[in-house]
Amino acid sequence: MTPQSTSPPGPAPTLSEVLEAVEQLWPLRLQEPWDASGLVTGRPDQPVRRILFAVDPVADVVAEAVATGTDLLITHHPLLLRGVTSVAADGFKGAVVHELIEHRCALLACHTNADSAPDGVSDAVARAAGLTTTTPLAPHPADPAVGIGRVGDLPEPLPLAELARRLAEAVPATAHGVRVAGDPGAPVRRVAVCGGAGDSLLDEVRASGADVYVTADLRHHPASEAREAALGPGADGTPCLVDLSHFASEWLWLPVGAAALRDALAARGHDVEVEVSVRRSDPWDFRVDHPVPGRPVHGVPTAGGTA
């Protein structure tokens, strides 16, 4: 019997060649002025056989990268977003930098450039919501065809609660869950989304005419004022709000980004393993639910309860 022949793997690209492919997908020129996307560690000439995508460059994710022989860790969030004066290993960020360098694992952050670019973070949230055609919520000054956030129409109106359930099924489970402000039965069709913290775009959401805004990290005062305005004189109750976990909303992009980079490298003749981290880097571990409605808490009755 003739043994089966196997073709040798394609040539491994250098890190600089991978960065060229990344730049085509998520150009650095699209990042926000305050951002720190880009290469954090790694030599341009080092070979890259394995790439791992993750949301956060936390210690557990770096340990996974090292244990699996990863050559390049691509995270959405930057490790060094704000200025530092030391990366000594006695601090948690310095320890991560040392771990990466000592194991020859490069680190690349694709943050707001991956938010703005086509098929970016907000596009992934939009698809999870059921949107098929969208436009940028806040167009980029250099290219109005891209930008932060997305807005579009569902093929058919949905009750708000059904949209929230659809999103809850799409994102990774977290202690945060999915929080909703609005009438559960309210029909929603026009949907605005922004992966990650999006309360700075509430004015753009109102201007877009969206029935509901899907984002993450909604703070008390912006959310409260948005709902007060929506329910105030002359208003129609919109936009309703759907608040996801920051980590969960951005995790949706990882499989999309990994597939896009795998295909881009293959088109250049490179055989590279591109995977998504299995680590959950959401910082919250568990949630304690409130007692049933109507049950007094510390002697103070809840709505509808008795003292």
Side-chain angles (χ1 to χ4, degrees):
M1 184 172 65
T2 305
Q4 285 186 328
S5 62
T6 58
S7 58
T14 63
L15 177 57
S16 62
E17 289 173 320
V18 175
L19 295 180
E20 289 174 4
V22 167
E23 181 64 17
Q24 292 295 312
L25 294 168
W26 312 295
L28 280 175
R29 62 180 172 79
L30 295 181
Q31 71 173 317
E32 296 296 298
W34 51 263
D35 198 9
S37 294
L39 192 65
V40 181
T41 66
R43 294 183 182 276
D45 60 349
Q46 72 183 67
V48 175
R49 278 284 185 198
R50 187 177 197 276
I51 298 172
L52 183 67
F53 273 71
V55 174
D56 298 290
V58 295
D60 277 354
V61 169
V62 172
E64 178 188 2
V66 168
T68 55
T70 295
D71 303 303
L72 171 60
L73 173 61
I74 297 179
T75 60
H76 184 52
H77 290 144
L79 175 65
L80 306 174
L81 182 58
R82 293 174 176 83
V84 297
T85 58
S86 171
V87 289
D90 58 355
F92 71 94
K93 289 195 176 185
V96 163
V97 170
H98 280 258
E99 189 75 358
L100 290 164
I101 292 174
E102 289 164 6
H103 291 87
R104 298 184 63 81
C105 181
L107 173 63
L108 173 67
C110 292
H111 193 208
T112 55
N113 54 322
D115 287 326
S116 285
D119 283 331
V121 174
S122 289
D123 283 315
V125 179
R127 278 192 292 271
L131 300 175
T132 55
T133 303
T134 62
T135 57
L137 189 58
H140 195 278
D143 185 355
V146 298
I148 301 294
R150 298 290 187 267
V151 61
D153 295 326
L154 294 168
E156 298 290 339
L158 279 180
L160 175 62
E162 180 60 30
L163 176 66
R165 279 192 289 269
R166 175 183 292 181
L167 289 160
E169 292 172 358
V171 299
T174 63
H176 177 286
V178 176
R179 303 188 300 180
V180 185
D183 179 354
V188 294
R189 181 160 195 170
R190 189 155 180 82
V191 182
V193 306
C194 179
D199 58 24
S200 64
L201 295 178
L202 283 164
D203 286 342
E204 287 83 352
V205 171
R206 282 186 282 266
S208 75
D211 301 314
V212 59
Y213 183 33
V214 179
T215 188
D217 270 356
L218 282 173
R219 294 171 296 161
H220 173 83
H221 292 295
S224 175
E225 291 182 3
R227 291 304 295 153
E228 287 292 292
L231 298 170
D236 63 358
T238 63
C240 302
L241 303 174
V242 176
D243 186 44
L244 307 174
S245 149
H246 191 126
F247 158 81
S249 72
E250 294 177 327
W251 184 93
L252 290 170
W253 172 71
L254 299 185
V256 177
L261 184 55
R262 186 185 301 115
D263 291 345
L265 292 172
R268 294 167 178 244
H270 300 302
D271 182 16
V272 181
E273 181 183 0
V274 187
E275 300 294 339
V276 173
S277 172
V278 298
R279 298 290 185 272
R280 179 178 63 87
S281 58
D282 187 89
W284 302 104
D285 294 314
F286 64 93
R287 181 183 70 236
V288 178
D289 289 330
H290 291 291
V292 295
R295 178 180 175 184
V297 180
H298 301 305
V300 180
T302 57
T306 56

